[in-house]
Amino acid sequence: MELNPFSYEFQENPYPIYRWLRDHEPLHRNEQLEFWALSRFRDVLPSLVDWATYSSAEGVVLERLDPKMLEATPMMISLDPPRHDRLRKLVSRAFTPRRVESLEPFVRATAIRLLEPLVAEGGGDFVKDFSTPLPMEVIFTLLGVPDADRRQLREWTDVALERDPDTPAIPARALEASLNQMRYWYDLIGELRRRPNDGLMCGLFEAEVETDGGTTRLSDGEIIGFCTLLGAAGNETTTKLLANAAVLFARHPEEYRKILADPARLSGAIEEILRHSSPAQYAARTVMRDVEWYGRTVPQGARMLLLIGSANRDEREYRDPDRFDVDRQIPEPLGFGQGVHYCLGASLARLETRVALEEFGKRFPRYAVDEAGCRRVHMSNVHGFASVPFVRCA
Amino acid sequence: MRVIVDPVLCEGNGVCTQVAPEIFELGDDDRARVLVEHPTEARRAEVETAVRRCPRRAIRLVEG
């Protein structure tokens, strides 16, 4: 059996392949695409944490990224400590659970505003009408992106991540969307330097970043890197998480009834959604020294996929792992990663998901998803839906 | 044993304050603070759980 993350069939349902890999090739080698992969929970977790051995500096997707592009607009996600830590601490205070909590009234008001037309229609497209615009409004408001630009910017983000079937080659339309996005951020930075607003971006203009000798201001390239990363991460993964929740609860109405009856169970349910159907299916790393796994040597410089989506379904870690169970105990959640690269927006994603599902649940206590009408996205390491049509049921 | 929280790594996720509320608290700066720097052996299990579950791996346990 072979793992090809670019296969649309794999993206549709990666779990049978994952299971086979865990049982038969816990260290997998794909000769053609030149990568290795770890699939068991107890192998993936420590490797995610060990940033010195498993470096992010060549990017965290399998596709080869242009090193010049990585350097021109450096992003924390593809940097190792110490530079990673120096950049991350400039924004990390804005995303602590306590700071994020203060956003709840805004997130709730936005969710309610978006749900109202769906209530009037008796349904709609969960992705297009709700799980896309909600995180978009939240992250772009935080960053300080003008209302009028949000949809276009969000579309570029989507297209930039799209991949063609079976190939790691980045499509021309994705490269073009990335460039458009970068050009947009560059122009917005210029405009906001002249007329600042109270968004996070303007805070970055004044931020001082440590260097080996002293401190310095962020370059435009570094600010573009931040905006691109926070914009993409704040949109894409939460959109997928919410829609995965909508599909899972439609398939498991008994689990849905549990969270409706007892909203206190929702926080645990969100961890289970993340485990069962992780938006981020894997993280790619570059191996910095020869490492031994299952009697084989993975050489320095090799690319290694840490299969989070597989680790989360590992029967060695979870009983009956394919079952969706909102009361499952998840002591070491992997859905947001672990260690220095632990998802900066984890608290925000949890808040958005909780509030979205609370408000959706009040308005759609019974609903059905048109499974045949659902469409999946085809992105590299992000799995989820592009369209989830649903209707309210009596 | 001695418990140390790395103030640069800690981002106030509050996992430690949940698993070991008598050892850690969340400070006003949204970073975890160690309330009992040298806990008794009886507390070892919960401190080790906090070390293992900290999503940022910001807690260290030093013997002695």
Side-chain angles (χ1 to χ4, degrees):
Chain A
M1 196 136 356
E2 192 172 70
L3 170 68
N4 179 356
F6 302 101
S7 137
Y8 281 15
E9 196 190 334
F10 166 77
Q11 291 164 6
E12 191 67 40
N13 182 11
Y15 299 107
I17 294 181
Y18 286 158
R19 176 186 289 262
W20 188 89
L21 292 177
R22 287 192 304 272
D23 288 345
H24 300 281
E25 281 180 22
L27 174 71
H28 176 66
R29 166 76 176 152
N30 182 318
E31 289 289 343
Q32 195 206 340
L33 292 171
E34 297 184 312
F35 70 85
W36 303 74
L38 290 170
S39 48
R40 290 184 182 172
F41 185 95
R42 288 293 152 198
D43 299 340
V44 170
L45 173 58
S47 305
L48 280 172
V49 172
D50 182 3
W51 56 264
T53 306
Y54 299 96
S55 162
S56 297
E58 290 183 295
V60 299
V61 291
L62 186 54
E63 302 88 300
R64 295 252 166 225
L65 302 176
D66 182 352
K68 273 183 270 173
M69 195 102 134
L70 285 175
E71 190 40 49
T73 56
M75 298 182 203
M76 299 176 281
I77 196 170
S78 44
L79 290 171
D80 295 326
R83 197 173 171 202
H84 165 274
D85 299 353
R86 289 169 180 168
L87 289 180
R88 179 152 169 148
K89 76 177 183 194
L90 301 179
V91 289
S92 61
R93 298 293 119 194
F95 293 95
T96 63
R98 204 179 285 179
R99 283 289 292 281
V100 161
E101 241 171 67
S102 68
L103 298 171
E104 180 165 338
F106 166 66
V107 174
R108 194 173 298 280
T110 308
I112 292 171
R113 174 170 63 77
L114 293 167
L115 284 168
E116 267 160 13
L118 293 170
V119 171
E121 295 286 318
D125 187 327
F126 190 90
V127 178
K128 285 199 184 67
D129 302 330
F130 189 48
S131 75
T132 298
L134 179 64
M136 176 186 87
E137 297 297 348
V138 174
I139 193 66
F140 286 162
T141 300
L142 276 181
L143 284 172
V145 176
D147 280 338
D149 304 339
R150 292 178 180 180
R151 267 182 187 280
Q152 173 66 75
L153 188 54
R154 155 84 214 195
E155 269 172 46
W156 282 329
T157 307
D158 270 346
V159 177
L161 296 174
E162 276 176 19
R163 297 293 178 263
D164 289 332
D166 301 320
T167 169
I170 300 175
R173 64 181 187 284
L175 289 172
E176 195 192 321
S178 296
L179 285 175
N180 283 334
Q181 210 179 22
M182 254 184 254
R183 215 172 288 134
Y184 173 83
W185 289 119
Y186 182 80
D187 291 344
L188 184 62
I189 289 168
E191 209 175 296
L192 290 179
R193 280 193 197 276
R194 287 190 298 277
R195 273 174 305 174
N197 59 21
D198 56 4
L200 200 58
M201 226 172 131
C202 291
L204 291 174
F205 301 154
E206 306 300 321
E208 303 218 313
V209 58
E210 279 171 59
T211 62
D212 290 331
T215 60
T216 177
R217 289 283 158 89
L218 290 171
S219 65
D220 279 358
E222 284 168 319
I223 296 175
I224 293 173
F226 265 118
C227 293
T228 310
L229 176 62
L230 297 181
N235 271 302
E236 292 298 332
T237 42
T238 311
T239 293
K240 310 298 179 280
L241 175 58
L242 277 170
N244 288 348
V247 171
L248 275 171
F249 282 128
R251 286 179 188 164
H252 301 276
E254 73 294 349
E255 298 299 301
Y256 190 48
R257 278 194 294 275
K258 287 180 193 167
I259 63 149
L260 292 183
D262 180 9
R265 282 152 109 172
L266 188 47
S267 296
I270 293 168
E271 302 306 314
E272 173 66 350
I273 298 158
L274 271 163
R275 181 198 70 81
H276 187 278
S277 302
S278 317
Q281 286 283 315
Y282 63 84
R285 298 286 189 261
T286 303
V287 178
M288 300 305 281
R289 59 176 173 84
D290 290 3
V291 285
E292 295 287 325
W293 283 106
Y294 300 100
R296 295 179 78 177
T297 302
V298 180
Q300 181 184 348
R303 296 289 281 164
M304 176 73 93
L305 294 194
L306 304 175
L307 299 171
I308 292 168
S310 169
N312 276 332
R313 295 281 191 109
D314 189 349
E315 38 291 284
R316 293 153 196 81
E317 187 65 23
Y318 298 108
R319 234 177 91 187
D320 202 1
D322 294 333
R323 190 167 147 244
F324 177 59
D325 169 8
V326 295
D327 295 323
R328 189 189 289 277
Q329 292 299 305
I330 304 172
E332 291 172 273
L334 268 194
F336 290 119
Q338 288 278 317
V340 295
H341 290 287
Y342 177 70
C343 176
L344 179 66
S347 299
L348 182 58
R350 286 183 171 118
L351 171 79
E352 288 178 47
T353 308
R354 177 172 59 77
V355 169
L357 293 177
E358 280 168 5
E359 296 303 327
F360 182 80
K362 282 182 207 163
R363 288 161 182 81
F364 296 94
R366 289 165 59 84
Y367 68 100
V369 162
D370 167 17
E371 294 262 356
C374 288
R375 271 191 309 108
R376 287 195 163 266
V377 297
H378 298 292
M379 298 175 171
S380 54
N381 63 344
V382 182
H383 284 202
F385 293 94
S387 180
V388 174
F390 77 101
V391 288
R392 185 173 39 211
C393 300
Chain B
M1 65 181 152
R2 182 174 166 223
V3 185
I4 303 166
V5 171
D6 183 322
V8 175
L9 289 176
C10 177
E11 291 180 348
N13 287 291
V15 175
C16 59
T17 58
Q18 279 171 29
V19 298
E22 282 159 51
I23 310 292
F24 303 94
E25 73 170 1
L26 212 51
D28 292 335
D29 60 354
D30 276 5
R31 290 182 177 94
R33 253 208 315 262
V34 180
L35 293 171
V36 186
E37 203 185 331
H38 296 280
T40 59
E41 275 304 312
R43 295 284 179 198
R44 178 177 290 275
E46 63 188 274
V47 173
E48 283 176 350
T49 303
V51 170
R52 203 171 55 243
R53 293 195 191 168
C54 171
R56 293 270 296 156
R57 298 299 190 275
I59 310 169
R60 275 189 303 139
L61 192 58
V62 183
E63 296 305 325

